[in-house]
Amino acid sequence: MTPSSPMFILVIDDEEYIRLLIKKELSNNYRNIMTASSAKEGLSLFNKRDFDVILLDIRLPDGDGIELLDHFRSSQPDCEVIIITGHGDIESAVTAMKKGAYDYITKPFSLERLELVVDKAFQRVCLQRENRLLRQSQTPHRQPVLIGKSESIKRIRYLIQKVAPTDAPVLITGESGTGKEVVARLIHSHSLRGDKHLVIKNCGTLQKELMRSELFGYVKGAFTGAVQSQEGLIMLAQGGTLFLDEIGELPIDCQSALLRLLENRTYRRVGEKEERFANVRFIFATNRDLSEEVRVGRFNEALYHRVNVFNICIPPLRERTEDIPLLVEYFLTQFSFSNSTYSLSANIMQYLLNYSWPGNIRELRNVIERAVILAEDGIITDQCLPSEIVERRSLSDSNLRSDSLLPLQTVEKQYILRVLESVSGNKSKAAEILRISRKTLYRKLKEYLL
Ligand SMILES: Nc1ncnc2c1ncn2[C@@H]1O[C@H](COP(=O)(O)OP(=O)(O)OP(=O)(O)O)[C@@H](O)[C@H]1O
Ligand SMILES: [Mg+2]
Protein backbone atom coordinates (compact mmCIF):
# COMPACT_ATOMS: atom_id res chain seq x y z
CA MET A 1 0.00 0.00 0.00
CA THR A 2 1.26 3.48 -0.84
CA PRO A 3 -0.72 6.16 0.96
CA SER A 4 -1.29 9.44 -0.86
CA SER A 5 0.05 11.56 2.00
CA PRO A 6 3.22 11.12 4.05
CA MET A 7 2.94 9.51 7.44
CA PHE A 8 4.72 10.68 10.58
CA ILE A 9 5.58 8.04 13.11
CA LEU A 10 6.93 8.49 16.63
CA VAL A 11 8.66 5.53 18.27
CA ILE A 12 9.02 5.72 22.06
CA ASP A 13 11.12 2.86 23.42
CA ASP A 14 14.05 2.74 25.81
CA GLU A 15 15.76 -0.09 23.96
CA GLU A 16 18.10 1.44 21.43
CA TYR A 17 18.11 -1.69 19.32
CA ILE A 18 14.32 -1.53 18.82
CA ARG A 19 14.41 2.17 17.91
CA LEU A 20 17.15 1.66 15.36
CA LEU A 21 15.58 -1.44 13.90
CA ILE A 22 12.19 0.20 13.38
CA LYS A 23 13.70 3.36 11.97
CA LYS A 24 15.92 1.45 9.58
CA GLU A 25 13.39 -1.09 8.41
CA LEU A 26 10.21 0.96 8.26
CA SER A 27 11.50 4.27 6.88
CA ASN A 28 10.74 4.84 3.23
CA ASN A 29 9.47 7.60 0.92
CA TYR A 30 6.24 8.07 2.77
CA ARG A 31 7.04 6.85 6.29
CA ASN A 32 8.93 9.43 8.35
CA ILE A 33 10.13 8.15 11.69
CA MET A 34 11.32 9.99 14.78
CA THR A 35 12.42 8.24 17.94
CA ALA A 36 12.51 8.94 21.67
CA SER A 37 14.14 6.88 24.41
CA SER A 38 12.05 8.10 27.35
CA ALA A 39 8.58 9.31 28.25
CA LYS A 40 9.93 12.82 28.72
CA GLU A 41 11.60 12.92 25.33
CA GLY A 42 8.52 11.37 23.70
CA LEU A 43 6.23 13.99 25.21
CA SER A 44 8.42 16.85 24.13
CA LEU A 45 8.49 15.58 20.52
CA PHE A 46 4.72 15.00 20.61
CA ASN A 47 4.18 18.57 21.78
CA LYS A 48 6.34 19.97 18.99
CA ARG A 49 4.56 18.40 16.02
CA ASP A 50 1.63 16.25 14.92
CA PHE A 51 2.16 12.52 14.48
CA ASP A 52 -0.11 10.08 12.71
CA VAL A 53 0.98 6.88 14.46
CA ILE A 54 2.84 6.40 17.73
CA LEU A 55 4.64 3.17 18.64
CA LEU A 56 4.74 3.14 22.41
CA ASP A 57 6.58 0.88 24.82
CA ILE A 58 4.54 0.37 27.98
CA ARG A 59 7.47 0.13 30.35
CA LEU A 60 9.61 3.21 30.20
CA PRO A 61 12.36 4.14 32.68
CA ASP A 62 10.79 7.47 33.58
CA GLY A 63 7.08 6.84 33.29
CA ASP A 64 4.09 4.69 32.59
CA GLY A 65 3.15 4.07 28.96
CA ILE A 66 -0.53 3.85 29.82
CA GLU A 67 -0.47 7.40 31.21
CA LEU A 68 1.24 8.62 28.07
CA LEU A 69 -1.39 6.84 26.01
CA ASP A 70 -4.14 8.71 27.89
CA HIS A 71 -2.42 11.98 27.19
CA PHE A 72 -1.94 11.27 23.49
CA ARG A 73 -5.51 10.10 22.98
CA SER A 74 -7.04 13.10 24.72
CA SER A 75 -4.86 15.75 23.12
CA GLN A 76 -4.87 14.35 19.58
CA PRO A 77 -7.69 11.83 19.12
CA ASP A 78 -7.03 11.26 15.43
CA CYS A 79 -3.55 9.91 16.09
CA GLU A 80 -3.39 6.13 16.56
CA VAL A 81 -1.19 4.49 19.21
CA ILE A 82 0.28 1.00 18.85
CA ILE A 83 1.61 -0.58 22.01
CA ILE A 84 4.89 -2.49 22.10
CA THR A 85 5.11 -4.90 25.02
CA GLY A 86 7.53 -7.48 26.25
CA HIS A 87 5.87 -10.88 26.26
CA GLY A 88 4.31 -11.75 29.56
CA ASP A 89 2.82 -8.27 29.77
CA ILE A 90 -0.37 -9.02 27.91
CA GLU A 91 -2.46 -7.64 30.76
CA SER A 92 -1.20 -4.09 30.30
CA ALA A 93 -1.63 -4.49 26.58
CA VAL A 94 -5.29 -5.33 27.15
CA THR A 95 -5.68 -2.32 29.44
CA ALA A 96 -4.09 -0.17 26.74
CA MET A 97 -6.54 -1.47 24.14
CA LYS A 98 -9.43 -0.60 26.43
CA LYS A 99 -8.05 2.90 26.71
CA GLY A 100 -8.09 3.32 22.96
CA ALA A 101 -4.80 1.91 21.67
CA TYR A 102 -5.17 0.79 18.06
CA ASP A 103 -3.36 -2.54 18.49
CA TYR A 104 -0.42 -4.09 20.30
CA ILE A 105 2.56 -6.13 19.26
CA THR A 106 4.72 -8.27 21.51
CA LYS A 107 8.48 -8.38 21.45
CA PRO A 108 10.13 -10.02 19.62
CA PHE A 109 7.97 -9.03 16.68
CA SER A 110 8.08 -9.74 13.00
CA LEU A 111 8.81 -6.65 10.94
CA GLU A 112 6.21 -7.70 8.42
CA ARG A 113 3.47 -7.68 11.02
CA LEU A 114 4.66 -4.36 12.41
CA GLU A 115 4.59 -2.82 8.96
CA LEU A 116 1.09 -4.11 8.36
CA VAL A 117 -0.27 -2.82 11.65
CA VAL A 118 1.36 0.59 11.20
CA ASP A 119 -0.04 1.03 7.70
CA LYS A 120 -3.50 -0.07 8.78
CA ALA A 121 -3.45 2.35 11.69
CA PHE A 122 -2.51 5.11 9.27
CA GLN A 123 -5.37 4.17 6.95
CA ARG A 124 -7.72 4.60 9.85
CA VAL A 125 -6.21 7.97 10.72
CA CYS A 126 -6.76 9.16 7.14
CA LEU A 127 -10.32 7.88 7.10
CA GLN A 128 -11.16 9.63 10.35
CA ARG A 129 -9.74 12.90 9.05
CA GLU A 130 -11.67 12.58 5.80
CA ASN A 131 -14.91 11.93 7.65
CA ARG A 132 -14.35 14.90 9.85
CA LEU A 133 -13.76 17.16 6.87
CA LEU A 134 -16.85 15.79 5.19
CA ARG A 135 -18.97 16.46 8.25
CA GLN A 136 -17.65 20.00 8.49
CA SER A 137 -18.38 20.72 4.84
CA GLN A 138 -21.94 19.47 5.09
CA THR A 139 -23.56 22.40 6.79
CA PRO A 140 -26.85 21.01 8.05
CA HIS A 141 -29.12 23.51 6.28
CA ARG A 142 -27.66 24.36 2.96
CA GLN A 143 -29.39 27.43 1.56
CA PRO A 144 -31.97 26.09 -0.89
CA VAL A 145 -32.38 27.63 -4.33
CA LEU A 146 -35.59 28.36 -6.14
CA ILE A 147 -34.76 28.30 -9.83
CA GLY A 148 -37.14 29.84 -12.35
CA LYS A 149 -37.98 33.01 -14.19
CA SER A 150 -41.69 32.47 -14.82
CA GLU A 151 -44.11 35.04 -13.49
CA SER A 152 -45.36 32.53 -10.93
CA ILE A 153 -41.87 31.86 -9.55
CA LYS A 154 -41.15 35.60 -9.43
CA ARG A 155 -44.38 36.08 -7.50
CA ILE A 156 -43.48 33.25 -5.12
CA ARG A 157 -40.07 34.84 -4.46
CA TYR A 158 -41.83 38.10 -3.68
CA LEU A 159 -44.29 36.41 -1.30
CA ILE A 160 -41.47 34.56 0.48
CA GLN A 161 -39.59 37.78 1.00
CA LYS A 162 -42.73 39.47 2.36
CA VAL A 163 -43.91 36.75 4.70
CA ALA A 164 -40.57 35.37 5.93
CA PRO A 165 -39.79 38.06 8.53
CA THR A 166 -43.28 37.89 10.05
CA ASP A 167 -44.35 35.12 12.39
CA ALA A 168 -47.48 34.35 10.37
CA PRO A 169 -48.24 30.72 9.62
CA VAL A 170 -47.85 29.86 5.94
CA LEU A 171 -49.67 27.25 3.92
CA ILE A 172 -47.80 26.03 0.86
CA THR A 173 -49.86 24.17 -1.71
CA GLY A 174 -48.92 22.46 -4.92
CA GLU A 175 -48.70 19.10 -6.61
CA SER A 176 -46.10 16.60 -5.55
CA GLY A 177 -42.55 17.60 -6.49
CA THR A 178 -43.31 21.26 -7.20
CA GLY A 179 -40.91 22.55 -4.55
CA LYS A 180 -43.02 22.99 -1.42
CA GLU A 181 -40.15 21.98 0.84
CA VAL A 182 -37.78 24.31 -1.02
CA VAL A 183 -40.17 27.19 -0.33
CA ALA A 184 -40.56 26.20 3.32
CA ARG A 185 -36.78 26.14 3.77
CA LEU A 186 -36.45 29.53 2.12
CA ILE A 187 -39.10 31.07 4.38
CA HIS A 188 -37.29 29.72 7.42
CA SER A 189 -33.84 30.82 6.32
CA HIS A 190 -35.05 34.33 5.45
CA SER A 191 -36.89 34.70 8.73
CA LEU A 192 -35.54 36.09 11.99
CA ARG A 193 -35.47 32.49 13.16
CA GLY A 194 -33.11 31.50 10.35
CA ASP A 195 -30.24 30.59 12.68
CA LYS A 196 -32.46 28.35 14.81
CA HIS A 197 -33.82 24.90 14.03
CA LEU A 198 -36.16 24.06 11.21
CA VAL A 199 -37.95 20.89 12.29
CA ILE A 200 -39.73 19.02 9.50
CA LYS A 201 -42.45 16.49 10.19
CA ASN A 202 -44.57 14.66 7.66
CA CYS A 203 -48.02 14.38 9.26
CA GLY A 204 -48.70 11.23 7.30
CA THR A 205 -46.13 9.48 9.49
CA LEU A 206 -47.57 10.67 12.81
CA GLN A 207 -49.19 7.76 14.58
CA LYS A 208 -52.64 8.57 15.83
CA GLU A 209 -52.06 7.24 19.35
CA LEU A 210 -48.60 8.71 19.68
CA MET A 211 -49.23 11.97 17.86
CA ARG A 212 -49.71 14.05 20.99
CA SER A 213 -46.59 12.68 22.63
CA GLU A 214 -44.55 13.09 19.47
CA LEU A 215 -45.68 16.67 18.98
CA PHE A 216 -45.81 17.81 22.60
CA GLY A 217 -43.49 15.38 24.38
CA TYR A 218 -44.29 13.40 27.52
CA VAL A 219 -43.17 12.96 31.09
CA LYS A 220 -41.81 9.81 32.65
CA GLY A 221 -44.61 7.43 33.58
CA ALA A 222 -47.24 9.22 31.47
CA PHE A 223 -48.06 5.88 29.84
CA THR A 224 -46.72 2.37 29.76
CA GLY A 225 -43.37 2.50 28.05
CA ALA A 226 -42.67 6.12 28.99
CA VAL A 227 -39.60 5.14 30.99
CA GLN A 228 -38.12 8.58 30.78
CA SER A 229 -39.41 12.04 29.90
CA GLN A 230 -39.04 13.16 26.35
CA GLU A 231 -39.34 16.49 24.58
CA GLY A 232 -41.67 16.78 21.62
CA LEU A 233 -41.23 18.38 18.21
CA ILE A 234 -42.52 21.70 19.53
CA MET A 235 -39.67 21.84 22.02
CA LEU A 236 -37.14 20.82 19.36
CA ALA A 237 -38.36 23.68 17.19
CA GLN A 238 -38.49 26.18 20.09
CA GLY A 239 -37.29 29.56 18.84
CA GLY A 240 -37.31 28.21 15.29
CA THR A 241 -39.77 26.85 12.75
CA LEU A 242 -41.92 23.72 12.64
CA PHE A 243 -42.77 22.62 9.11
CA LEU A 244 -45.74 20.27 9.16
CA ASP A 245 -45.72 18.64 5.76
CA GLU A 246 -48.76 16.85 4.32
CA ILE A 247 -51.01 18.59 6.83
CA GLY A 248 -54.01 17.10 5.00
CA GLU A 249 -52.90 13.69 6.30
CA LEU A 250 -53.20 14.67 9.96
CA PRO A 251 -55.69 12.26 11.60
CA ILE A 252 -58.92 14.07 12.41
CA ASP A 253 -58.60 13.38 16.17
CA CYS A 254 -55.21 15.07 16.20
CA GLN A 255 -56.48 18.14 14.43
CA SER A 256 -58.19 19.61 17.49
CA ALA A 257 -54.98 19.32 19.53
CA LEU A 258 -53.13 21.26 16.86
CA LEU A 259 -55.92 23.81 16.69
CA ARG A 260 -55.63 24.47 20.44
CA LEU A 261 -51.91 24.95 20.08
CA LEU A 262 -52.33 27.41 17.22
CA GLU A 263 -54.99 29.35 19.11
CA ASN A 264 -53.36 29.53 22.53
CA ARG A 265 -49.70 29.13 21.67
CA THR A 266 -49.51 26.89 24.71
CA TYR A 267 -49.31 23.16 25.12
CA ARG A 268 -48.83 20.52 27.74
CA ARG A 269 -46.57 17.52 27.60
CA VAL A 270 -48.49 14.28 27.96
CA GLY A 271 -48.80 13.50 31.69
CA GLU A 272 -47.91 17.03 32.77
CA LYS A 273 -50.19 19.73 34.20
CA GLU A 274 -47.97 22.69 33.63
CA GLU A 275 -48.60 24.64 30.43
CA ARG A 276 -45.69 25.68 28.28
CA PHE A 277 -45.42 28.49 25.81
CA ALA A 278 -44.66 27.47 22.25
CA ASN A 279 -42.35 29.97 20.60
CA VAL A 280 -42.60 28.36 17.20
CA ARG A 281 -43.37 29.57 13.69
CA PHE A 282 -45.55 27.19 11.70
CA ILE A 283 -45.33 26.33 8.04
CA PHE A 284 -47.74 23.83 6.53
CA ALA A 285 -47.81 22.11 3.17
CA THR A 286 -50.24 19.93 1.33
CA ASN A 287 -50.93 18.63 -2.13
CA ARG A 288 -54.58 18.10 -1.27
CA ASP A 289 -57.34 20.63 -1.75
CA LEU A 290 -57.96 21.47 1.91
CA SER A 291 -61.22 23.33 1.30
CA GLU A 292 -62.54 20.19 -0.37
CA GLU A 293 -61.29 18.13 2.58
CA VAL A 294 -63.26 20.48 4.87
CA ARG A 295 -66.34 20.09 2.69
CA VAL A 296 -66.28 16.32 2.90
CA GLY A 297 -65.60 16.42 6.64
CA ARG A 298 -62.03 15.14 6.67
CA PHE A 299 -60.48 18.39 7.82
CA ASN A 300 -61.50 20.53 10.78
CA GLU A 301 -62.88 23.80 9.47
CA ALA A 302 -61.58 25.96 12.33
CA LEU A 303 -58.12 24.49 11.86
CA TYR A 304 -58.34 25.15 8.14
CA HIS A 305 -58.82 28.87 8.81
CA ARG A 306 -55.90 28.91 11.28
CA VAL A 307 -53.65 27.15 8.81
CA ASN A 308 -54.71 29.04 5.72
CA VAL A 309 -53.64 32.53 6.77
CA PHE A 310 -51.07 33.11 4.06
CA ASN A 311 -51.19 30.76 1.11
CA ILE A 312 -48.36 30.24 -1.35
CA CYS A 313 -49.53 28.14 -4.26
CA ILE A 314 -46.86 26.62 -6.53
CA PRO A 315 -48.15 25.84 -10.02
CA PRO A 316 -47.21 22.55 -11.67
CA LEU A 317 -44.22 22.58 -14.00
CA ARG A 318 -46.36 22.06 -17.12
CA GLU A 319 -47.91 25.47 -16.47
CA ARG A 320 -44.56 27.23 -16.36
CA THR A 321 -42.56 25.51 -19.07
CA GLU A 322 -40.38 28.59 -19.48
CA ASP A 323 -38.64 27.46 -16.26
CA ILE A 324 -37.60 24.16 -17.83
CA PRO A 325 -34.43 25.34 -19.66
CA LEU A 326 -33.12 27.04 -16.51
CA LEU A 327 -33.90 24.04 -14.34
CA VAL A 328 -32.24 21.72 -16.85
CA GLU A 329 -29.11 23.84 -16.84
CA TYR A 330 -29.11 23.95 -13.05
CA PHE A 331 -29.47 20.18 -12.66
CA LEU A 332 -26.88 19.53 -15.38
CA THR A 333 -24.26 21.40 -13.39
CA GLN A 334 -25.44 19.84 -10.17
CA PHE A 335 -25.07 16.32 -11.46
CA SER A 336 -22.04 16.69 -13.69
CA PHE A 337 -19.05 14.63 -12.67
CA SER A 338 -16.00 16.65 -11.63
CA ASN A 339 -15.24 19.14 -14.39
CA SER A 340 -17.22 17.61 -17.22
CA THR A 341 -19.73 19.73 -19.08
CA TYR A 342 -22.86 18.40 -20.70
CA SER A 343 -24.89 19.57 -23.63
CA LEU A 344 -28.21 18.53 -25.10
CA SER A 345 -28.31 17.22 -28.63
CA ALA A 346 -30.82 18.89 -30.97
CA ASN A 347 -34.52 18.34 -30.17
CA ILE A 348 -33.89 17.13 -26.60
CA MET A 349 -35.08 20.44 -25.15
CA GLN A 350 -38.15 20.11 -27.31
CA TYR A 351 -38.98 16.75 -25.77
CA LEU A 352 -38.50 18.19 -22.31
CA LEU A 353 -40.73 21.16 -23.10
CA ASN A 354 -43.46 18.98 -24.58
CA TYR A 355 -43.67 16.52 -21.74
CA SER A 356 -46.33 17.08 -19.07
CA TRP A 357 -44.14 16.33 -15.99
CA PRO A 358 -46.69 14.70 -13.68
CA GLY A 359 -43.92 14.37 -11.06
CA ASN A 360 -42.95 18.01 -11.59
CA ILE A 361 -39.47 19.25 -10.71
CA ARG A 362 -38.57 16.12 -8.81
CA GLU A 363 -39.22 14.10 -11.98
CA LEU A 364 -37.22 16.54 -14.11
CA ARG A 365 -34.35 16.38 -11.63
CA ASN A 366 -34.35 12.58 -11.75
CA VAL A 367 -34.52 12.53 -15.54
CA ILE A 368 -31.48 14.81 -15.76
CA GLU A 369 -29.55 12.87 -13.16
CA ARG A 370 -30.12 9.67 -15.16
CA ALA A 371 -29.33 11.38 -18.48
CA VAL A 372 -25.97 12.62 -17.17
CA ILE A 373 -25.04 9.08 -16.20
CA LEU A 374 -26.01 7.74 -19.61
CA ALA A 375 -24.47 10.56 -21.64
CA GLU A 376 -21.59 9.63 -23.94
CA ASP A 377 -18.89 12.27 -24.43
CA GLY A 378 -20.96 14.79 -22.55
CA ILE A 379 -23.84 14.74 -25.06
CA ILE A 380 -27.35 13.99 -23.92
CA THR A 381 -29.26 12.29 -26.72
CA ASP A 382 -32.77 10.84 -26.79
CA GLN A 383 -31.19 7.51 -25.78
CA CYS A 384 -30.54 9.06 -22.40
CA LEU A 385 -34.18 9.99 -21.78
CA PRO A 386 -36.95 7.69 -20.53
CA SER A 387 -39.20 6.46 -23.33
CA GLU A 388 -42.33 8.23 -22.11
CA ILE A 389 -40.62 11.55 -22.77
CA VAL A 390 -39.30 10.66 -26.20
CA GLU A 391 -42.27 8.66 -27.46
CA ARG A 392 -44.36 10.67 -29.81
CA ARG A 393 -47.89 10.49 -28.59
CA SER A 394 -50.73 12.17 -30.38
CA LEU A 395 -52.50 14.98 -28.58
CA SER A 396 -55.57 12.82 -28.30
CA ASP A 397 -53.96 10.24 -26.06
CA SER A 398 -51.38 12.21 -24.15
CA ASN A 399 -52.87 15.59 -23.53
CA LEU A 400 -56.51 14.86 -23.29
CA ARG A 401 -56.29 12.35 -20.48
CA SER A 402 -58.52 13.69 -17.76
CA ASP A 403 -55.73 13.51 -15.18
CA SER A 404 -53.45 15.78 -17.14
CA LEU A 405 -55.59 18.29 -18.97
CA LEU A 406 -53.50 21.13 -20.27
CA PRO A 407 -54.17 24.81 -20.70
CA LEU A 408 -54.88 25.85 -24.29
CA GLN A 409 -51.64 27.85 -24.39
CA THR A 410 -49.54 24.78 -23.61
CA VAL A 411 -51.35 22.68 -26.18
CA GLU A 412 -50.91 25.43 -28.76
CA LYS A 413 -47.23 25.68 -27.98
CA GLN A 414 -46.75 21.94 -28.19
CA TYR A 415 -48.62 21.76 -31.45
CA ILE A 416 -46.64 24.60 -33.01
CA LEU A 417 -43.45 22.86 -31.96
CA ARG A 418 -44.59 19.61 -33.47
CA VAL A 419 -45.44 21.25 -36.78
CA LEU A 420 -42.11 23.08 -36.82
CA GLU A 421 -40.34 19.84 -36.18
CA SER A 422 -42.15 18.09 -39.01
CA VAL A 423 -40.95 20.72 -41.48
CA SER A 424 -37.41 20.77 -40.06
CA GLY A 425 -37.81 24.22 -38.60
CA ASN A 426 -38.94 25.90 -41.82
CA LYS A 427 -41.08 28.71 -40.41
CA SER A 428 -42.76 29.69 -43.69
CA LYS A 429 -43.92 26.14 -44.24
CA ALA A 430 -45.06 25.85 -40.63
CA ALA A 431 -47.05 29.09 -40.89
CA GLU A 432 -48.68 27.80 -44.04
CA ILE A 433 -49.75 24.54 -42.38
CA LEU A 434 -51.01 26.42 -39.31
CA ARG A 435 -52.82 28.90 -41.55
CA ILE A 436 -51.38 31.86 -39.73
CA SER A 437 -49.08 34.58 -40.97
CA ARG A 438 -45.33 34.25 -40.47
CA LYS A 439 -45.52 37.35 -38.31
CA THR A 440 -48.04 35.70 -36.01
CA LEU A 441 -45.89 32.61 -35.81
CA TYR A 442 -42.84 34.67 -34.82
CA ARG A 443 -44.89 36.51 -32.23
CA LYS A 444 -46.11 33.26 -30.74
CA LEU A 445 -42.62 31.79 -30.65
CA LYS A 446 -41.36 34.87 -28.87
CA GLU A 447 -44.25 34.72 -26.45
CA TYR A 448 -43.39 31.13 -25.67
CA LEU A 449 -39.72 32.00 -25.32
CA LEU A 450 -38.71 29.55 -28.05
N1 LIG B 1 -37.65 25.90 -8.23
C1 LIG B 1 -36.77 24.94 -7.93
N2 LIG B 1 -35.47 25.12 -8.15
C2 LIG B 1 -34.58 24.15 -7.89
N3 LIG B 1 -34.89 22.95 -7.39
C3 LIG B 1 -36.18 22.70 -7.14
C4 LIG B 1 -37.19 23.67 -7.38
N4 LIG B 1 -38.37 23.15 -7.02
C5 LIG B 1 -38.13 21.90 -6.60
N5 LIG B 1 -36.82 21.62 -6.66
C6 LIG B 1 -36.19 20.32 -6.34
O1 LIG B 1 -37.13 19.30 -6.69
C7 LIG B 1 -37.21 18.30 -5.72
C8 LIG B 1 -38.60 18.22 -5.13
O2 LIG B 1 -38.88 19.42 -4.40
P1 LIG B 1 -39.64 19.39 -3.00
O3 LIG B 1 -39.19 18.23 -2.17
O4 LIG B 1 -39.51 20.74 -2.40
O5 LIG B 1 -41.13 19.12 -3.52
P2 LIG B 1 -42.47 18.96 -2.70
O6 LIG B 1 -43.45 19.87 -3.31
O7 LIG B 1 -42.19 19.13 -1.25
O8 LIG B 1 -42.85 17.45 -3.05
P3 LIG B 1 -43.81 16.42 -2.21
O9 LIG B 1 -45.21 16.92 -2.33
O10 LIG B 1 -43.63 15.14 -2.95
O11 LIG B 1 -43.30 16.40 -0.82
C9 LIG B 1 -36.16 18.64 -4.69
O12 LIG B 1 -34.97 17.97 -5.03
C10 LIG B 1 -35.97 20.14 -4.85
O13 LIG B 1 -34.67 20.53 -4.46
MG1 LIG C 1 -42.31 17.71 0.30
Side-chain angles (χ1 to χ4, degrees), residues 389-403:
I389 294 179
V390 179
E391 256 170 29
R392 319 293 2 247
R393 279 188 274 167
S394 72
L395 280 173
S396 59
D397 63 39
S398 74
N399 297 331
L400 298 184
R401 277 197 332 241
S402 62
D403 60 338

Side-chain angles (χ1 to χ4, degrees), residues 150-161 312:
S150 58
E151 283 311 314
S152 44
I153 288 291
K154 284 187 197 152
R155 171 95 186 136
I156 289 168
R157 277 200 202 101
Y158 170 77
L159 292 175
I160 292 174
Q161 182 213 324
I312 297 183

